[in-house]
């Protein structure tokens, strides 16, 4: 589904045109062209390619369901693959949705498989006009990238809060399922890093280029995105720190639990092994054991065992065995 | 609550004016204007915005209770969100209080929700004049930022000292509550990093700009703040090092305790299992057991068991089992 | 086996020539020469050296089966040793195959011991022509290096997926063989780093040189390879992170298992030690033990022991000993 | 206690003057002035300040007993707070002694509370002249900083050697007191980092300045100090590595000890539990137990138990249970 | 033992001269002078110093048996202390042998205590001539440094291989002596870092200098050494990674072993505690125990105990207790 918007800098008006009419505006310095192509079919690609003259390799890459972020510098345009966070708070899954950009002198082509809210916030597919287009193709792309970047911050907050809660739970009770949740967060962080880290490098590369398609005065805006991506990585690292810390707590709590178990075993053994020994002594079959024939022998032995038990308990309590 | 101070460079005098009179001074190169807006209401914002022409987005950000530090570069002013430490030694809580700055050519607007001591130390809201305003709007902002930055140092010292004390306590007795205290410190450090690290980047960005609103000769002062923020992060990292080390001590002490418990169990079992066995032997019902009918059988057996017990104790002591 | 291809920039045609005819084309500015030498014999080297005047040391290095990546800058050519991944999914082995390059003003010599698919994808040994040669010797080498670099990405994906699977398996059951598999992955990652890290430095060195043999406009392409190599190292580090995490899980699961074992021992001891003690008491040989002569003595004692057992089980269950 | 030395570049002579006479030399381009103020009283400060016009804030800082290293850039002088190692091999304590410097165009003021050997090595308080003063005020300060920096190297060596020895001791016997010694070293290293790391930044800042008070040709000397401070941090990090490693050894040795203890318990239980069981069997009161009435019953049972014991010991030895 | 070689650039001939004749050649732009001083005596130093005018401090440093690598920049020469690896595969010891260099405009003085093979490979002490001298004093020093740097690579390979082997051994059997070997490797790596890391900084410093004694065109060669030293540090870090990993394996194997031991104890206790209890029950002295007087009582009890034992074994096997 195409949506082709042309903005005229002189008349300060924008209007939608069909894909066939588009070519005329590309050479007009006064026009800014935005093509927003949603869920493109092969036919759409066949219509698109001849108008702009895009390289087949870039079209192939943009068709792929998942391609690592990349930036290719062609003579007539820049080709970017970016990933929008398709954050689904219900499934708590971090999904990436690939968005491709072609930035030319006075046009921006955006190709995406999903009708993402975040893209519509920049230029609503269904609105007549788009404010941002008036600032030119380069700032239009900047706005897209900037919004997609800012999407990471609430996600980072959520992950960090989840890790905090898990840490508290593990302090209470070190269950293996909490450990699994921790490692799920860790994997999400690694996935984010895998996407954000090449995007950071791409932006750095973009500002290093002689900026054919970005006006020099606008480079600062892209450096801004670079700073934000750096921040995302920073936050990911600090959350990973919490995860690692929680893991350490888990290990220490498991060790603590072992100590508790062993204390119990030790107490039981320390009380009953001596008592059993005493009972065994009086179970010996010697003919001459004066205690055995005494009237008070049995209650005396029971009393003695009681005293031993109490003595052991008091001694171990005093010595802080438990 | 507004407090609007205007300093005249020629007459070297400063006086308070109402918000309505302010506009006249903004275009006067000879004036330096400071607006200190405490706990602003919506009405205050409505009065403020038209005078300076601030962008609505910046006003929205400054109204928020918590926004990550940020720096926006507008044609007529710089907009900063900074966080002042509202260090409360009693509650031992690290609280951040958000402060917004608008730095224009010859004015500085400071918006804050709380009447912080640290802000009054720069320009007392209730004093007639303010020494620092004479150095210009850029150095005035520098002084604010510098003071707020220096607030971190005593806090870092306190956290580091707390970590040291916890380390010592854990050496004595590895309690779970000490571990919790350690992780509370760790979280404070991460919170500080989360605030300080973007502030450091903001200052770096500020000195990278063409410095529209900061005189080139004054950039060194901002680089100074950058150095201090770096130092804060350094100190946070070194305290985290102590926390991590204390965690290791905790684990080792828990292991040591397990060894102690197991030693006790081993000693008890090593003494009483053989003794019980001997008693059991003499409890066997064989008809022909010469020891049983002997007069000295019983005391002999007791003596034998005593000797075995002493032997085991001496052997294990010599072998350093305990 | 030589394959010598000469491309004429004026006629835009390429043709194969014998090694003896080659020298004529080297001084012709209009020609681009590609020599692809597969599995060279000593005789091949003797033919090659005098034509180009290569230094003996470089020939010796390229003859070696394994030499760390290196870059030597000679007056008339650059000499590179690179490593192609010879990824064999069946054996799951990471094998490196050494490829040597000589880049001169208008020629590129590629020496390799194995007929690698990845090299043929750039310039097929058996095809009549080669598209990439038309872009000049420097971009031809770039294409080789670029392709070989891109080979790492699927491998990194595979290693990362393997580490993920091992992590899950260890969560289920911490077997030593999984640990061995983890460390096999870790060693592969270290091997990759050992190769990729000097290659990254080489490319950085290449772009730092005054680029005698690389046209200034093409340096950006080499910087691109640098970025990709950085990415490979990034991915290796993130996979190593998973490996380290899985190792931590292993340790925690082993500790958990110990806890399980000790719980069992504790339960068994806690139930049977008291019971045995009771039985021992009634096995004592005191003459006056009223219970013994009672008719209900034996069933009473059994019942009592049952009650004790049930009491212990209920108490320990309630106290969550197990 | 003042010591004011004035060197005349023309006459190449130096002589001591009183604090009152000093002002005359400050404007004389031919003079180099060194003021060495030991353990200053408030009266000394009152004499000093008006002569040089030092800012009150700097005087306050230099009066403090402990202030983090800092560098302030004033129009007429640089103000530095540095820390000299007051290494006391006897107490094995790392003590820092604060030294303040004021570097002006042709003067250097050194303020220190203690009569440190390291300062006297540069310019002996009691000698008539001082060789280094001839090289100018900037190189004079360089010499002070350089000497104080070099003091760290023997200390780093000592700490590293101590850590090595502790590592060896822990291999032999993992005592908690060795752990405490390790952490004492770690804390010393953190303290050194806390001092050295801002000093490194100060020197870097110093060489970044337009070097008002340091001749451009002398900047290399300060960069030299920067390198040395980097080295100190390097050495601290490598010693910390040894400390961390020794900590790991401690943990592994504690685990080993637990294994030893548990082995012993297991051996004792594995031998005596079956033996006790056999004895218990023959202690049963069944009327028809043929073994009991047999003449060889008792010695046979003893022999059987001996065989069982030997069998268990041999089996467990073979199976490497111990 | 002196060996003084003078090369004449015009005649392209080199010849040996005595130390007294040397001074004449130092001012001759056409000459390149190499002084190779092996195991110098005090008398040698007294002969050397006046010829070149070396500073006493540098002579003192070069006399020391061990001095950290350093670089001093004097007006007439550079003074370097470097360390050659004196790799002794037999003793498996990493020994450093100190080499001092003085690099002047047209001379190089090399002072070393041991007759190292690696130095003779550059300029054989016993050969008549030396090829490398023809390239000038700076490249001559470069060749020395380069060779000494390359010596690290085989050592790094050996250490890495040793660590690999230890890792495998620890997987089999976690012995404390393997741990000691691991830490021996770790200490060697730290020692190498202690030498290589300042050498890297020295080379970086050398290329930062205005290169008084190194021709600008030759700086790239020194940058090459810098890269190699970086590589050595890289390899050291990756080997340390293996060492750390092997340490983790050690800990996990020790834990595994504990689990094995505890399993055995648990099995023994789980079988014999219930059996002993049953035997104890039939050892009770109740008058009315029907089983006792039954003919089949004893064999029945034995059978019952056998069934209980088999049941426990089967249950625990099924439940995977062992």
């Amino acid at each position: 589904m195409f949506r082709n918007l042309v903005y005229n800098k002189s008349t300060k008006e924008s209007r939608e045109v069909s894909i066939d009419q588009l070519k005329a505006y590309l050479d007009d310095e006064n026009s800014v062209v935005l093509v927003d192509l949603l869920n493109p079919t092969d036919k759409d690609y066949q219509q698109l390619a001849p108008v702009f003259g895009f390289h087949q390799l870039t079209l192939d890459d943009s068709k792929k369901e998942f391609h690592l972020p990349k930036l290719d510098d062609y003579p007539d345009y820049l080709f970017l693959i970016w990933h929008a966070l398709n954050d689904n708070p219900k499934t708590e899954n971090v999904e990436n949705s690939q968005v491709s950009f072609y930035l030319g002198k006075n046009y921006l082509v955006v190709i995406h498989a999903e009708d993402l809210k975040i893209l519509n916030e920049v230029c609503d597919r269904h609105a007549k006009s788009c404010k941002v287009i008036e600032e030119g193709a380069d700032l239009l792309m900047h706005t897209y990238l900037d919004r997609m970047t800012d999407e990471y911050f609430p996600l980072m907050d959520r992950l960090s809060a989840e890790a905090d809660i898990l840490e508290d739970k593990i302090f209470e009770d070190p269950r293996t399922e909490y450990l699994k949740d921790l490692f799920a967060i860790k994997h999400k962080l690694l996935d984010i890093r895998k996407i954000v880290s090449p995007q950071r490098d791409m932006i750095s590369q973009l500002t290093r280029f002689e900026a054919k398609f970005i006006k020099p005065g606008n480079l600062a805006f892209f450096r801004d995105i670079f700073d934000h991506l750096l921040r995302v990585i920073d936050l990911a690292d600090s959350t990973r720190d919490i995860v690692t810390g929680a893991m350490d707590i888990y290990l220490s709590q498991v060790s603590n639990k072992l100590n508790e178990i062993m204390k119990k075993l030790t107490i039981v053994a320390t009380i009953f092994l001596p008592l059993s020994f005493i009972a065994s002594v009086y179970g010996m079959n010697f003919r001459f054991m004066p205690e055995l024939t005494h009237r008070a022998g049995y209650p005396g032995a029971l009393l003695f065992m009681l005293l031993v038990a109490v003595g052991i308990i008091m001694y171990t309590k005093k010595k802080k065995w438990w």
Side-chain angles (χ1 to χ4, degrees), chain A residues 137-149:
Chain A
D138 54 350
L139 280 188
L140 186 53
M141 185 172 82
H142 164 266
T143 310
Y144 276 112
L145 301 182
D146 190 42
R147 291 289 169 89
M148 289 193 282
T149 300

Side-chain angles (χ1 to χ4, degrees), chain A residues 157-173 178 181-182 185 242 246:
Chain A
D157 275 355
R158 213 185 65 215
L159 290 179
S160 158
E162 279 175 17
D164 273 353
I165 290 166
L166 280 169
E167 192 189 284
D168 286 347
K169 281 182 178 166
I170 285 168
F171 257 127
E172 296 309 309
D173 185 11
Y178 297 152
D181 291 348
L182 271 183
I185 293 178
I242 301 177

